[in-house]
Structure formats: C-alpha cells, structure tokens
Amino acid sequence: MSGDNPHHDSQVDSGSRNNDHKHKEKYRDKEHKQKEHKKDKEREKSKYGSSDHKDFSEKKHREKERLKHKEGSTDRHKDKHKDKRKEENIKPKKEKENGFASPPRIKSEPNNDDFYPSPKSLKRERDDDEPEVKPKKIKIQNDKVDKKGKKRKADVEDVKPKKGQKNKKGEVADGKKKAKKEPEEKWKWWEEERYTDGSKWRFLEHKGPVMAAPYEPIPGNVRFFYDGKPMKLSQDAEEVATFFAKMLEHEYTTKDIFRKNFFKDWRKEMTAEEKAKITDLKKCDFTELAEYFKAQSEARKAMTKEEKLKIKEENERLLQEYGFCVMDNHKERIANFRIEPPGLFRGRGDHPKMGMLKRRIRPEDIIINCSKDSKHPKPPPGTRWKEVRHDNKVTWLVSWTENIQGSIKYIMLNPSSRIKGEKDWQKYETARNLKKCVERLRSQYREDWKSKEMKIRQRAVALYFIDKLALRAGNEKEEGESADTVGCCSLRVEHINLYPEKDGQEFVVEFDFLGKDSIRYYNKVPVEKRVFKNLQLFMENKQPEDDLFDRLNTSILNKHLQELMDGLTAKVFRTYNASITLQQQLKELTNPDENLPAKILSYNRANRAVAILCNHQRAAPKTFEKSMQNLQAKIDAKKQQLSEAKRDVKSAKADLKVRRDEKSKRALESKKKAVERAEEQLMKLEVQATDREENKQIALGTSKLNYLDPRISVAWCKKWGIPVEKIYNKTQREKFAWAIDMADEDFEF
DNA sequence: GTTGGAACTTAGGAATCTGGAT
DNA sequence: ATCCAGATTCCTAAGTTCCAAC
C-alpha cells in the first residue's frame, strides 16, 4: 500500500505557515502555571472513573540560580522537577534490536586504508564472547538489495591491531605521504555483518579534538570605553567583551534578556576593580572593538590569493590530521572535530538563557573515548584530559559538558561513516515495517477513541495527530531552561481552536504553536467527528495553559507503540509518512514524456510536499526579492523576444504569400521554430519562478537528509534515467552511498 | 515506576565556496 | 579578473529515545 495516507492531502497544500514573530509574543511572557490547575485533572479523572489515576503530586519548585559558570564546573544544572503526571504503569521494557534484521557483524578486510597501517598483517583477535559471531546472515529484507551477491567474508576474523600497527600508524601520521592517497575503492560496509551485541566498534583510534584557538588580545589602540572614558580591561573581561562587540550589529544585543544574561556573566569574568567600576551595561561602549573586528573581516576578504590559499592549506592539514579516525580497520571521517569555541549563547526563539557566556573548553573538561590498545590522543602540552575511557558501547570519540544547559556535547563520525549509515538504514527499515502494519494501528487507535479510559483516548487522539500531521512526539520541557515550544504530547489548550464548522468544512481543528527551534506550526485540519468530540472533552474545564493531553506523555506513548510494533516510536511515523509521501508524490507527479528539467521539477515538488508535511521552514533568503526580480526581468525579456519572434513569423508569412518560393517557406519555418523555442524557454522560466516562489519559506534539505528513504530517490533516478547527481550533491551521495549502491529501479518503500 | 542523564538524530541559519555572468 | 547569487558546508542548538539508578 503505497500512497496510503489520504489524510495528508489537505496538509500538503494547505496553506501558509509563516513564521510570524508577533505570534511569538503571544507566548513570550506567559507564566505557565499548570500546577494550579491540577484540580481540573482531578475532575476529569472522576468523570471517567478510571482507577488507574493516582493523583499527580505536584512538585515544581525550581530553584533557579545555578552555579552555571562556576569554574570548571562539570556539574549538571538540570535539577529538573517535573510536574508531569506519573500515574501510568509502565510496561517492562523489552530488549531488542529495533527490529533490524541484520546479521552479526563479522569483520571483513578492508583494502582502503593505506594511510593508516595496513591491517593486513595485524590480526584482530576474535571476540570469543560473542556467540553470534557466526553470520547467519539475516539479510536485510530488501529483496533487490542483494542482487549483487556479496562476497561476505563471513570467516574473516575480527582483527585487533597490534603493536605493529601502532608503529606504522605513527609513521603515517608523521610523514603522511600516504595519507594523501584516496582510497580508490569505497568500503561497502552495507555488505558486511553487523554487531549484534550492542557494541559499536572493536577498535577506535583518533587524534583527539582540535581545541579552540586561544584568545588573541586586541591591539592597544583599540579601546573600550566606560562612561565615555577609555578603560583597559583585564584579559578575561576583555575576551568576553569582544564576544559582545562582535555581535553588536545583531538585533539580539538589544534584547533585555540577552543583555541581562550577558552582563551578569561578564561581571563574573571581571577583576574586583572592574566589577566595582563597570556596573551598567548601557555605559559600555564597544564600538571601537566592533569596528576593529569589522575591519579585520574586511581585511580577510581582501587577502591575496596566496594568503587565502595558505589558510586553506592549513585547514586541509588540520582536516587530514584530526578529521579522521580509524574505526575497525577503516579510516572514517569525523563530523565535528573542533571543540566549540567560547562565545555568547544564542538559543533559538525566546530563549531565557540567550546572552549567557559559553565558556571556553579546556582539555581538563574533555573526555576521550578510544580503544585501550590504540594510540591515545595527546592533550596539549602541559595539560591533561579529564578522562580517557574505552567504551565501545557508544559511538563518540570525545565529549565534554557544556555550561549553559549542562548537557553533554560529543564529537562523532560523519554521516558517511559505517556507524551512522547503518543506523540510518535501520531507521528506514523500521519505517518500512510500520508501513506493513500501519492500517492495523490506525484501526486500533480509532477504536481507542471510544475507550472508557481517558488516558487511552488521549493516547489515541495524540497518535492520530502524529500520524496524520507528522507532529513530533513532544517531550515535556523544563520551564525557564529553554524557549517555550511544544510537540504533540505537550500541546496545551491554548494551542488549538475547535470549529464545528469552518470554511464549509466540519470539525476543523486549528493548530497554532511553536515547535522545535521555535518554528511556528499553523494548520487548519478537518478531523473526524469522534476526534473533535474527544478534543472538546479534553479541553473541558481547563485553562489555556493547561496540557491538552494531561494523561499522556511521550514515555507512555512510546511504550504503547513499542507493544504494537517492534522498534516503533513516535518519530517513526514522521519518517514513514515523509517517505511514503515522497514515493506517492513521485508516482503522481512524474510525467514520463517530460524532459529532464521537468522531471527534476517534479521531484522537487514531491520533496516540497514532504517538507510542508513536516513543517520544514526557513527564513526567506535575504536575497529573495532581488533574485525574484532578476528572474522576472528574464521573463520579461523573454516575453519581449517572443513577441518579436511572433512578429517575424507574421512578416515571414506575408513574404511567403507574395513570393511563394522555397526560401520564404524555409524562412517561415525557422521563424516558427524560433517562436516555439522562445515559448518553451519562457515556460521554463515561469515554472522556475513558480518553483522558487513556492520554495520561498520551505526548506527541502532537512527532509531530504533525514526523512526520505534515499532508496526511493535512487530508484526514481534509475527508473527515469536521471543522473543521481541531479538529486544528491557530493556530500549527500556520500551519506547515501549505501542506497545508491543497493537500490534498483523497482525499489518500493 | 520515576527520574534525570546519556546518547544520538534532527534542525535552521551563518559562513564559506563556487562557477557563471559580466 | 571580478562579482554575485546560489549551493554547500559548518556550526551547534534543540529535539527524541534509551537506560540506569533510585
């Protein structure tokens, strides 16, 4: 069943989702005091008389003021005190590998890492404690996938690098003549077995992160003024001042919260004297600093080619040295090998922490993860790592705790790596599994709309939204820690409006809320009557700021989903619906007779349908108006050309009438051709304009990268003879190499 | 069972690069 | 050769899910 999600249609072309900033005001200073409305929940409870609702104890007393910026703090600041209901009984969790039927991994011999020690000589010891090491090849479903009949080296042992390897490695690192060489043959990890024991790798070696560049004090002639008088700042205070100065242009340096947070954190960096003197941000004049940085960036732009080349080479050197690691005998690209530099935090939307100082990360903050038997990365001279550990149950190479939210940041591998690719592939397989049973689940939740139990009804309605509208799960968030955004489970009464009748449709629900990244979701959808009635019920006796689904959270929902299908979670619906929509739209929009650009346009339109479904928005490009004008000018010129061409045809006709010779006839023909050509070009330009206009605020990239099973696109390309390069750029081809290699034109999601 | 932390995916915007127009 | 717009890459915030400790 493809194209089996009829209810998307409305969404696909339903209107505008503008990110209206006014809209945000609406939520800005709201104090959500759900706590005060617990009584309402109690009321509902009794209404349904279900016994399973114990009371929701209230415990929300956040103590603000965290020691955030305490020196070297690795402490958590997440003293969360959830006020969520926890009345549900939670099922015992099942152990499983997410329904990904794939065989245990057996190491196969790579041939492409010449830069690093060739592993040939180095056998890894086989892991004897891995019973599943016998590859019984639970081959991945995809029928066609396997056509090539891989030579699975089922018997190759997992090799572990030995000393020899290390030595070689060192040598490679130093004189990296070899390192330059591209591996001619790309490693097809998808033809190999996977680990099934939960381990992520056997061997991992890397050079550690690239630390942020040290602070470079500003020259003495560049001055900071306080209260009109120049003032030399201590180095630490100065550094933080430069962060602010660099942002001076930006609107958010005018925001109260930003300024307040900044000033508070800045003062912590000041010496006692500075602190005593600098008491008012308004009296601070950063303009000379700002000009200095501006001039610097101008200078950078004006650099000669040689200078630029030099920088480029230096970057390339860093990339070669730090941008790769060896994981299980393969050289793999690292995604983010640089430590995030210090600066001022800018969250998205109305973030309560905007402007806070994002502290500089020191080696002492950093945890290194690598193989015990690898050459460990060296900390910068005179420093040490916080810890070096050897945990092969995780994929990260480096981690540190960030001081704004107290969360952990990681350095991990590039999307083209085996470890990311396998996971990505698995994600789509889970979504395809959902396809097989989605109708069953749909009937199930429709049944549940009638349940006697409130929490089941809520779960069923929420699931309906997640399925129909591709909403995110919606975890609860801690108030005051981040912008006020919601997803499905965390929707509040104020986020929807019910219209028994609107615009000629019955039972319309209007959604208006800020989702991830404070992107507005606005949509009007007709729903089934039963859903509508349920929503009315859920909203009864509630305040706008109360949870719509007060008996539900993501944990309850996902537990339920897990029971319905192995590996099923809320986000699988987004993947499934995105991919199935693409497949179906491609089927619908592709016209076999059309030429290549037209087909690509169809692809983009199908992609766009998905982006709209998933609400992937972008700010209209700054150059949008101009580029539209340019295009319009082209169109006008083409129109002009066309009308001239038509006039030519007329006169050629007249000519022919008079002369009646072959030559005139031919002339007429060629004029006619010119008209046709111009018409075609005009049409193309107009289509392009439409396309661009339609795309003004839609971001296609996110869905392409994260939600659309690449095999659908690859199959489509193969079917219509479209070079895959037209659809995926180089990076994307690297990420989706597995799909490009395995999908043939018959692939069905 | 709850809770918070850890791990990992998803996200939009800024910075940088590139190649075609001039 | 230079400029510019669009494409690509980088950056890191903001989500989801899993899991261990209580």
Side-chain angles (χ1 to χ4, degrees):
Chain A
M1 47 158 134
S2 56
D4 55 349
N5 209 350
H7 39 243
H8 283 140
D9 303 346
S10 65
Q11 166 80 357
V12 164
D13 32 47
S14 91
S16 54
R17 300 215 169 74
N18 293 342
N19 235 350
D20 166 359
H21 288 278
K22 297 263 183 54
H23 171 270
K24 296 181 183 173
E25 316 266 328
K26 181 168 159 195
Y27 302 107
R28 179 164 304 159
D29 343 84
K30 194 156 289 169
E31 255 265 304
H32 299 297
K33 23 183 194 209
Q34 277 116 313
K35 39 198 121 170
E36 278 138 42
H37 304 285
K38 291 298 162 168
K39 39 186 164 2
D40 297 315
K41 293 171 183 172
E42 297 300 322
R43 229 170 283 140
E44 280 164 35
K45 250 185 268 179
S46 56
K47 186 172 336 185
Y48 281 87
S50 57
S51 50
D52 58 346
H53 303 129
K54 304 174 213 106
D55 74 296
F56 327 102
S57 53
E58 179 43 57
K59 30 180 120 157
K60 185 158 206 167
H61 23 34
R62 262 174 313 104
E63 65 177 76
K64 276 331 225 339
E65 198 24 76
R66 344 232 119 131
L67 347 138
K68 268 347 140 11
H69 296 116
K70 277 315 161 44
E71 250 289 39
S73 69
T74 53
D75 33 13
R76 284 277 103 56
H77 310 299
K78 301 192 145 184
D79 44 341
K80 317 202 173 188
H81 302 278
K82 308 274 163 145
D83 64 336
K84 270 310 194 185
R85 43 256 24 110
K86 42 255 173 123
E87 63 216 309
E88 307 300 331
N89 2 8
I90 294 153
K91 298 290 195 47
K93 151 104 212 155
K94 289 196 282 183
E95 240 327 301
K96 85 182 45 100
E97 274 269 320
N98 255 11
F100 198 39
S102 161
R105 160 177 235 86
I106 298 284
K107 185 58 210 169
S108 134
E109 205 38 271
N111 44 1
N112 62 345
D113 23 15
D114 348 358
F115 4 51
Y116 272 108
S118 151
K120 310 257 158 87
S121 50
L122 337 147
K123 289 317 207 228
R124 302 226 225 131
E125 331 170 343
R126 134 105 71 202
D127 271 287
D128 288 322
D129 47 11
E130 253 183 287
E132 45 355 279
V133 152
K134 260 314 83 120
K136 7 84 129 302
K137 163 100 260 203
I138 316 158
K139 193 24 194 188
I140 318 295
Q141 40 312 26
N142 191 351
D143 2 301
K144 334 266 161 162
V145 161
D146 238 347
K147 59 186 179 214
K148 305 191 175 162
K150 289 6 191 165
K151 20 61 205 273
R152 230 150 262 261
K153 312 220 171 160
D155 298 318
V156 176
E157 300 204 321
D158 231 345
V159 258
K160 183 175 283 164
K162 305 210 166 133
K163 321 234 167 126
Q165 180 169 14
K166 291 187 194 165
N167 298 341
K168 281 175 147 191
K169 228 163 247 176
E171 159 193 315
V172 165
D174 305 341
K176 53 187 161 115
K177 42 214 156 172
K178 293 180 138 191
K180 293 279 142 163
K181 206 160 41 155
E182 267 303 298
E184 301 72 15
E185 196 136 324
K186 289 277 186 275
W187 173 37
K188 298 188 176 180
W189 52 258
W190 50 95
E191 293 173 356
E192 298 194 18
E193 316 294 339
R194 303 160 191 264
Y195 296 125
T196 53
D197 59 350
S199 65
K200 304 292 167 55
W201 44 263
R202 288 288 108 94
F203 178 74
L204 172 61
E205 179 166 284
H206 59 93
K207 292 291 191 62
V210 173
M211 303 303 292
Y215 176 62
E216 274 189 43
I218 54 174
N221 61 333
V222 178
R223 295 160 304 170
F224 163 75
F225 293 87
Y226 186 71
D227 208 7
K229 291 182 275 296
M231 177 175 177
K232 174 72 185 164
L233 296 171
S234 64
Q235 173 155 325
D236 287 354
E238 182 187 281
E239 179 177 10
V240 178
T242 65
F243 297 153
F244 194 84
K246 284 176 183 170
M247 298 175 132
L248 222 46
E249 300 270 275
H250 226 287
E251 183 212 347
Y252 47 66
T253 54
T254 63
K255 295 193 177 179
D256 271 1
I257 304 180
F258 189 94
R259 296 174 67 87
K260 194 178 120 271
N261 286 333
F262 161 71
F263 196 57
K264 185 169 162 208
D265 281 0
W266 186 27
R267 284 176 57 80
K268 291 180 197 158
E269 302 301 314
M270 294 177 186
T271 62
E273 303 83 66
E274 286 166 339
K275 220 184 249 179
K277 189 157 176 196
I278 302 175
T279 54
D280 183 359
L281 182 55
K282 285 204 288 290
K283 293 181 179 166
C284 297
D285 180 356
F286 300 94
T287 51
E288 238 178 61
L289 308 198
E291 277 158 22
Y292 167 69
F293 291 119
K294 203 156 175 193
Q296 275 211 322
S297 89
E298 296 295 316
R300 218 172 310 124
K301 268 184 236 157
M303 280 185 310
T304 66
K305 221 176 270 152
E306 294 75 46
E307 291 171 312
K308 282 182 178 165
L309 189 64
K310 215 169 145 196
I311 292 179
K312 208 172 162 187
E313 276 169 358
E314 170 62 10
N315 279 335
E316 181 60 24
R317 193 188 66 74
L318 274 181
L319 172 67
Q320 288 305 325
E321 175 155 14
Y322 293 97
F324 296 85
C325 72
V326 177
M327 184 175 277
D328 292 353
N329 279 332
H330 295 275
K331 188 183 183 189
E332 300 253 44
R333 178 88 189 262
I334 298 169
N336 54 323
F337 55 89
R338 292 168 203 274
I339 294 290
E340 296 174 15
L344 302 184
F345 176 80
R346 167 59 183 169
R348 310 201 180 141
D350 272 316
H351 199 115
K353 300 191 171 188
M354 64 169 79
M356 284 175 55
L357 173 63
K358 193 168 122 168
R359 174 193 109 233
R360 177 178 292 274
I361 304 302
R362 307 157 307 161
E364 291 76 11
D365 302 317
I366 292 175
I367 302 174
I368 299 290
N369 192 35
C370 62
S371 292
K372 225 178 241 159
D373 58 355
S374 73
K375 193 169 155 196
H376 298 188
K378 284 196 295 287
T383 67
R384 41 180 308 153
W385 304 123
K386 178 178 182 182
E387 182 190 339
V388 177
R389 69 171 71 156
H390 313 291
D391 181 358
N392 79 343
K393 298 285 193 268
V394 298
T395 68
W396 53 267
L397 320 185
V398 174
S399 76
W400 70 93
T401 299
E402 152 273 333
N403 68 301
I404 303 289
Q405 319 273 359
S407 64
I408 305 172
K409 301 271 197 164
Y410 303 93
I411 289 180
M412 292 182 186
L413 298 194
N414 199 68
S416 63
S417 62
R418 181 219 103 213
I419 213 160
K420 294 293 185 188
E422 276 180 353
K423 200 81 185 298
D424 205 38
W425 180 13
Q426 171 181 353
K427 173 181 77 186
Y428 292 113
E429 289 312 321
T430 306
R432 293 174 84 203
N433 284 341
L434 173 56
K435 178 185 175 181
K436 293 181 203 143
C437 61
V438 71
E439 284 311 330
R440 187 189 95 221
L441 303 197
R442 285 174 180 156
S443 357
Q444 155 105 246
Y445 66 62
R446 297 168 60 86
E447 272 309 299
D448 288 347
W449 293 341
K450 301 182 262 184
S451 170
K452 291 200 303 290
E453 271 186 78
M454 188 61 150
K455 68 171 183 187
I456 291 179
R457 286 196 188 207
Q458 291 194 353
R459 195 180 68 194
V461 171
L463 188 49
Y464 170 72
F465 285 161
I466 284 171
D467 182 23
K468 181 180 170 77
L469 304 173
L471 300 188
R472 295 188 184 82
N475 286 302
E476 55 266 70
K477 301 171 76 185
E478 207 182 345
E479 227 178 293
E481 293 294 295
S482 58
D484 176 25
T485 62
V486 299
C488 185
C489 293
S490 49
L491 280 170
R492 298 190 296 264
V493 169
E494 61 194 335
H495 295 130
I496 66 170
N497 278 311
L498 303 182
Y499 302 97
E501 206 253 292
K502 184 164 176 107
D503 306 331
Q505 293 178 303
E506 282 191 307
F507 308 122
V508 173
V509 183
E510 180 184 50
F511 292 83
D512 193 351
F513 61 89
L514 298 182
K516 182 177 180 180
D517 294 326
S518 292
I519 296 292
R520 184 185 181 193
Y521 183 92
Y522 179 79
N523 200 5
K524 274 180 284 193
V525 257
V527 301
E528 303 198 31
K529 181 172 180 180
R530 226 180 269 283
V531 170
F532 195 85
K533 294 290 173 200
N534 270 314
L535 289 169
Q536 288 179 322
L537 191 63
F538 303 160
M539 292 164 77
E540 251 172 40
N541 299 317
K542 283 192 196 167
Q543 300 298 310
E545 59 273 32
D546 287 339
D547 286 345
L548 176 63
F549 302 117
D550 54 293
R551 308 288 168 89
L552 185 68
N553 61 35
T554 53
S555 160
I556 296 167
L557 180 64
N558 280 337
K559 240 153 226 150
H560 172 64
L561 293 176
Q562 192 56 240
E563 282 161 16
L564 298 178
M565 188 196 103
D566 202 24
L568 188 60
T569 62
K571 87 185 183 93
V572 177
F573 281 88
R574 247 167 105 79
T575 310
Y576 159 71
N577 278 314
S579 287
I580 202 76
T581 299
L582 178 76
Q583 184 168 82
Q584 160 203 330
Q585 290 283 306
L586 283 177
K587 235 174 236 169
E588 219 170 289
L589 298 174
T590 310
N591 179 347
D593 305 327
E594 283 179 333
N595 58 12
L596 188 121
K599 287 211 180 75
I600 287 171
L601 182 64
S602 299
Y603 181 89
N604 286 338
R605 288 206 156 134
N607 193 165
R608 186 148 55 236
V610 175
I612 289 170
L613 172 69
C614 293
N615 200 40
H616 291 142
Q617 298 192 28
R618 61 169 183 180
K622 286 183 288 295
T623 55
F624 185 81
E625 288 310 326
K626 189 164 8 142
S627 95
M628 247 6 236
Q629 276 168 10
N630 291 159
L631 196 51
Q632 191 57 48
K634 274 191 189 168
I635 289 174
D636 292 344
K638 192 55 75 180
K639 278 181 178 163
Q640 176 79 15
Q641 187 191 334
L642 179 61
S643 68
E644 276 163 20
K646 280 181 174 163
R647 207 164 13 193
D648 289 353
V649 168
K650 258 189 194 155
S651 68
K653 266 185 186 161
D655 252 21
L656 179 59
K657 230 174 187 168
V658 178
R659 305 197 191 178
R660 300 187 171 278
D661 61 356
E662 263 311 299
K663 196 176 163 198
S664 308
K665 201 171 166 186
R666 276 200 302 273
L668 175 61
E669 284 313 306
S670 96
K671 297 297 181 199
K672 278 184 174 169
K673 280 263 157 60
V675 169
E676 273 171 37
R677 226 178 310 128
E679 269 172 345
E680 197 177 309
Q681 287 167 338
L682 176 62
M683 206 159 70
K684 219 156 118 187
L685 284 171
E686 280 174 336
V687 166
Q688 197 188 340
T690 314
D691 195 33
R692 193 175 298 178
E693 185 69 49
E694 283 176 7
N695 228 25
K696 181 175 181 179
Q697 284 170 287
I698 313 251
L700 301 186
T702 304
S703 49
K704 203 181 211 177
L705 233 46
N706 300 301
Y707 288 104
L708 301 176
D709 188 329
R711 291 168 296 183
I712 298 170
S713 301
V714 171
W716 181 83
C717 284
K718 289 187 176 160
K719 179 162 182 187
W720 301 108
I722 301 199
V724 74
E725 295 76 27
K726 298 283 181 194
I727 298 301
Y728 291 135
N729 68 27
K730 179 157 161 285
T731 311
Q732 293 166 159
R733 291 198 300 278
E734 279 165 12
K735 169 168 179 174
F736 297 133
W738 58 273
I740 293 169
D741 184 57
M742 71 170 63
D744 67 23
E745 67 167 79
D746 306 321
F747 175 82
E748 275 269 334
F749 176 77

